[in-house]
Amino acid sequence: DRKTLAARFKADETVVTAWSVLPAPVVAEAMARAGFGAVTLDMQHGIHDAGSIRDCLAAVALGGAHRIVRIPVGGNAMASRAADAGAEAVIAPMINSADDAKAFADAMKYPPLGSRSWGPVRASMLAGQTMPEYLASANSEVLAFAMIETPEAVAALDDILAVPGIDGVFVGPGDLSLTLSKGAALNPHSEAVREAAELIIRKTRAAGRFAGYFCMTPEDVKAAEAMGYRLLAHGMDLPVIQGAFRDTLARLA
Ligand code: 3PY
Ligand code: MG
């Protein structure tokens, strides 16, 4: 159906997003056609740039999935650009304070909420809207997700959730394990991460905001959904393709 991504989260629906690191529109389209609810194009650790975002957002739309972009750290100018290129949600990494959250929300939302500059030429087309229709809906329908992946962010969570224009949070358990352990261990399944994840979901739902989680395993997807997370990232193109090639070669042995 033609429900918006925002409408799905408002209805408390779960959306599983595949994770795209390859700047290849046909691969992004294939991930969408595989049946994922959304595809997230990763400009932080993926190989994407502004050009591949432009082409892959259209390919994801063609494949029938919702369109999400993760920007680089502090890349608020890119947040506006990703929204203009047709992203329905933007995920910003390393949002560690209310000030970080305010700067991100400011780039994502039109006045009076923020200072996103006007020009959704491509975004309105992908949304199937006129430009005035896009303007009327964008502040509530184009979502800003702040990544919580440090102890500073967990400590500032109440303030981050209170920033107007921040629609949700997104947990990065890899970085969170690294920062919570002061660099001692990369362990997204640590007890410290699990405790933080419980605290984050409780506060986020109480604040009426949406919550997402980066899931390494299918078990993580089930556990995060059971906790109340609704945007679940799982399935990355490069390792999936590499694994399939390994299996293909192994069958010759
Ligand atoms: C993390 O786990 O830190 C992430 O950012 C997931 O991509
Ligand atoms: Mg991270």
Side-chain angles (χ1 to χ4, degrees):
D1 59 59
R2 312 202 108 265
K3 233 188 220 178
T4 63
L5 185 61
R8 290 191 194 284
F9 292 132
K10 278 174 200 150
D12 208 31
E13 288 179 32
T14 293
V15 175
V16 179
T17 180
W19 203 263
S20 158
V21 306
L22 296 174
V26 71
V27 174
E29 182 188 332
M31 293 162 91
R33 289 193 191 278
F36 285 88
V39 177
T40 300
L41 310 173
D42 186 6
M43 302 186 79
Q44 184 192 15
H45 298 302
I47 310 166
H48 282 288
D49 57 22
S52 69
I53 290 301
R54 172 198 63 212
D55 295 339
C56 290
L57 284 169
V60 171
L62 183 64
H66 289 294
R67 309 175 295 278
I68 306 176
V69 171
R70 176 165 73 172
I71 56 173
V73 174
N76 290 326
M78 196 59 228
S80 305
R81 229 165 131 56
D84 278 354
E88 299 167 88
V90 173
I91 299 171
M94 293 289 178
I95 299 296
N96 294 327
S97 64
D99 283 348
D100 288 352
K102 277 180 200 146
F104 172 47
D106 190 64
M108 287 292 296
K109 306 290 178 173
Y110 291 120
L113 215 43
S115 63
R116 179 178 170 192
S117 171
W118 176 244
V121 187
R122 180 55 167 149
S124 59
M125 192 186 281
L126 276 182
Q129 293 174 317
T130 63
M131 300 238 287
E133 283 167 351
Y134 184 88
L135 178 60
S137 66
N139 276 5
S140 58
E141 299 278 304
V142 182
L143 305 174
F145 279 87
M147 284 196 75
I148 305 298
E149 40 189 357
T150 65
E152 293 73 28
V154 174
L157 185 59
D158 291 335
D159 296 336
I160 292 170
L161 287 168
V163 170
I166 294 294
D167 300 289
V169 299
F170 189 89
V171 176
D175 273 308
L176 198 49
S177 71
L178 208 53
T179 56
L180 286 173
S181 70
K182 299 188 175 13
L186 180 67
N187 176 11
H189 298 110
S190 73
E191 186 56 25
V193 168
R194 206 193 51 78
E195 278 174 19
E198 296 276 9
L199 178 81
I200 292 165
I201 193 60
R202 185 165 52 72
K203 289 194 166 186
T204 302
R205 290 191 75 103
R209 303 287 199 258
F210 310 134
Y213 204 94
F214 189 88
C215 304
M216 322 295 289
T217 67
E219 293 72 30
D220 290 351
V221 174
K222 293 194 182 72
E225 185 176 29
M227 275 192 254
Y229 289 90
R230 291 294 174 262
L231 175 60
L232 305 172
H234 185 61
M236 194 185 289
D237 47 5
L238 186 51
V240 166
I241 289 169
Q242 202 176 13
F245 272 110
R246 258 195 215 108
D247 292 347
T248 300
L249 193 58
R251 281 195 288 274
L252 301 182

